[in-house]
Amino acid sequence: MERSDEKVKVVGTWSSQFVMRARIALNIKSVSYEFHQERLWEGKSELLLRSNPAQKKVPVLIHGGKPICESFNIVEYVDEVWSSAPSILPSDPKERATARFLAAYLDEKWFPSMRTVGYPQGEDARKAAIAQLEKGLVLLEEAFVNYSKGKSFFGGDQIGYLDIAFGSYLGWLRVAEKMSEIKLLSEAKTPRLLQWADSFSSHAAVKDVMPDTEKLADFGVRAKILKATATPKL
Amino acid sequence: MADQVKLFGMWASPYSRRVELALKLKGIPYEYIEEDLSNKSCLLLKYNPVHQKIPVLVHNGKPVAESLVILEYIDETWTNNPVLPQDPYDRAMARFWAKFIDEKILITTRKVSLASGKEQEQAIEEITEQLKLLENELKGKEYFSGHNIGFLDIVANFLVFWFGNVQEVLGIDMFSEEKFPVIFEWIQKLVKIDVVNECRIPKEKHLDYIRTRVEAFKSSTK
């Protein structure tokens, strides 16, 4: 059997931006997969613990019985296994490096600020977080202008790696905007990204996996309460 | 036009050393620029405005930052002696463990260095667990990458010189041949490789450096 014909399963949750990345990548390649939804408030499933014992986190892509973990790893794996068009990563090594760099930046620096804006811990922290977010958005607006070359996506005509990396945060971005009543994406500061956000959200590969803002906001509140009241690990 | 490759690095940084190792393995000539992290150069800040950190590779004037991103860039640009495996599943595994090293092991090492008492004990337990998981990946293989040194060996290079020095300064016993026989066997193989030795961190200088940093941190938190 061809590797690309083997059975595909995704272990994840509807709310996770990381899981969304895996699903969008598979959708872009028109790969059918079984989605195993983790029960959010009931502890991690046997399947998850077995397939990602090191991190115990979603998403996990299980392909032909073999697990692949970490969202960007999964996206690259999907791009390499189902290598016929459309490509997810750009072909030029320098563009690939920039895409990977910005993706890592989004996860490590940018998103933590988003959490602070959505569920703030004091005014100073909120202001600093907003500044960090806006700085990142300026970077991304610039990247969009450079890489889209006048087309609708970071990837040009097609959704690419950076679209997936940043687009998967749109759910939380909208929650943060709603909770804080500020516009992070705006006509004045990020006109191209504002337009891109609509194109991305309505894309066939994305629309069914983009979480509803209200539902996500509620989930965020619940998750925060749960975390705050959890018994610390001894 | 000949390729122009520059590496902005720091002699004691495991992230910087891993990029040097990759360049040497590929036989890529480069100019090395040592950065004083307490007084970063304008060029470094220009080439990496987002993080303002080393290492930064500058290839024909264009910068690439973040060591794992740099390693993949090097592999894709200079395709001789590939360091990443060919098979997509093996590549995914290599990338997973590389990230595990950076996000877990190296972060926990920092915790171990700067904490004390119960907090340090807990961090040592964490790192022992993490190293055991990493060691499992080596079992039954000559190198992490199989028969030859590759991507994950390059990322795990911090275990060859850097990690032992940190342990020595801290005076703790968390990493020994007894506890991690498979990793130690791998280290013995690595030190026999010329280019690995060329990236050796000078020991005495490193011990002093770590001591100074740990003391500075401890006195700043009093």
Side-chain angles (χ1 to χ4, degrees), chain A residues 139-211:
Chain A
L139 252 183
L140 285 159
E141 175 84 6
E142 218 176 272
F144 187 82
V145 169
N146 287 333
Y147 295 110
S148 64
K149 302 181 177 61
K151 308 275 170 76
S152 310
F153 302 107
F154 285 92
D157 279 320
Q158 304 281 356
I159 285 187
Y161 188 83
L162 208 39
D163 295 281
I164 297 177
F166 182 39
S168 55
Y169 278 124
L170 282 173
W172 286 114
L173 188 144
R174 288 172 185 136
V175 167
E177 285 184 331
K178 179 183 140 80
M179 305 291 246
S180 64
E181 291 172 358
I182 47 159
K183 283 274 157 246
L184 290 164
L185 292 182
S186 66
E187 191 54 56
K189 294 189 180 159
T190 58
R192 303 296 308 275
L193 287 181
L194 192 61
Q195 233 179 340
W196 162 85
D198 276 337
S199 312
F200 180 82
S201 306
S202 53
H203 191 282
V206 176
K207 59 184 167 53
D208 294 336
V209 297
M210 177 68 81

Side-chain angles (χ1 to χ4, degrees), chain B residues 54-65:
Chain B
I54 55 93
V56 179
L57 187 82
V58 182
H59 181 208
N60 295 333
K62 295 196 176 160
V64 183

Side-chain angles (χ1 to χ4, degrees), chain A residues 4 36 38-39 75 91 109 111 122 124 140 159 211 213 222:
Chain A
S4 49
H36 171 97
E38 284 289 297
R39 290 174 192 279
V75 172
S91 48
K109 288 259 156 77
F111 183 60
D124 284 343
L140 285 159
I159 285 187
T213 309
R222 205 173 163 193

Side-chain angles (χ1 to χ4, degrees), chain A residues 3 52 54-55 57 66-70 73 76-77 80-81 93-94 96-97 100-101 104-105 108-109 135 139 233-234, chain B residues 48 50-51 53 62-66 69 72-73 76-77 87-89 91-93 95-97 99-100 103-104 122 133:
Chain A
R3 171 85 67 98
N52 188 1
Q55 306 267 41
K57 284 184 180 173
K66 288 180 171 181
I68 294 107
C69 311
E70 290 287 311
N73 255 10
E76 297 225 26
Y77 175 82
E80 288 166 11
V81 170
K94 185 63 180 65
R96 291 160 76 92
R100 287 172 177 141
F101 173 86
Y105 163 77
E108 288 156 27
K109 288 259 156 77
K135 198 168 143 196
L139 252 183
K233 226 165 117 178
L234 287 165
Chain B
N48 190 3
V50 175
H51 299 299
K53 284 183 176 176
K62 295 196 176 160
V64 183
E66 291 293 292
V69 176
E72 298 234 24
Y73 176 80
E76 290 167 3
T77 307
D87 177 74
Y89 180 74
R91 290 159 77 85
M93 286 296 104
R95 286 170 176 147
F96 175 84
W97 288 108
K99 218 166 171 227
F100 184 81
E103 290 182 358
K104 299 280 170 185
Q122 212 161 8
L133 283 170

Side-chain angles (χ1 to χ4, degrees), chain B residues 2 12 28 35 43 59 63 73 104 118 121 136 144 146 160 209:
Chain B
I28 300 164
E35 276 289 322
L43 272 182
H59 181 208
Y73 176 80
K104 299 280 170 185
K118 227 175 165 61
E121 271 171 42
N136 271 339
F144 281 104
V160 180
Y209 176 78

